[in-house]
Amino acid sequence: MTADPQDDVSARWWAAARERRLLVQTCEACGHRQHHPRSVCTRCGRTDSLGWTDASGVGTVDSFTVVHRAPAPGFEPPYVIARVRLAEGPLLLTRIVGCPPGTVRCDQPVRLAWWDRPDADPLPVFRPEA
């Protein structure tokens, strides 16, 4: 099951997502970690040193917005789109789930969950830490 664009660079990320594992790319030359998958390290520019690291699934809300108008059928507003800074460093654009939208705040600790989409691969989302 996949409706998501996959290529040689992102295929391993999507395979891990189907296993409910969140990966970040790691440059073995300089140690930089990045997300989304790319064919080049955004710190040192190397193209031959990128590998993968399992992310802890822990992060904090860096920025967010509450969406009040659905962009397409299947999106039930209001919902929160957030930029989450992973403990490993990279930023992830994602959704915050499991809480009323009005309770989300910047610097809020969050933990990885998965959104099981009906006709596509699962996506990482985050829930506030208890």
Side-chain angles (χ1 to χ4, degrees):
M1 147 178 43
T2 183
D4 298 301
Q6 297 182 26
D7 57 23
D8 291 342
V9 175
S10 66
R12 184 142 178 224
W13 189 91
W14 286 109
R18 287 189 289 278
E19 297 172 358
R20 309 301 187 271
R21 292 175 38 237
L22 179 60
L23 297 180
V24 293
Q25 276 186 315
T26 302
C27 180
E28 295 168 9
C30 72
H32 178 66
R33 292 182 177 167
Q34 63 190 29
H35 180 81
H36 61 277
R38 298 172 176 95
S39 58
V40 62
C41 174
T42 58
R43 177 184 288 160
C44 73
R46 299 279 301 259
T47 59
D48 61 347
S49 299
L50 291 170
W52 298 95
T53 302
D54 280 293
S56 64
V58 174
T60 56
V61 174
D62 179 71
S63 181
F64 70 95
T65 189
V66 179
V67 178
H68 293 280
R69 180 184 282 174
F75 291 89
E76 185 67 34
Y79 58 92
V80 176
I81 299 294
R83 208 169 65 168
V84 168
R85 168 108 28 215
L86 298 175
E88 293 77 16
L91 288 167
L92 209 77
L93 189 60
T94 185
R95 286 180 67 177
I96 304 297
V97 300
C99 66
T103 64
V104 176
R105 59 182 169 70
C106 287
D107 297 324
Q108 183 173 22
V110 290
R111 182 166 295 278
L112 178 64
W114 290 94
W115 176 24
D116 292 316
R117 301 180 299 164
D119 295 322
D121 291 331
L123 286 178
V125 295
F126 286 79
R127 295 183 178 280
E129 285 275 41

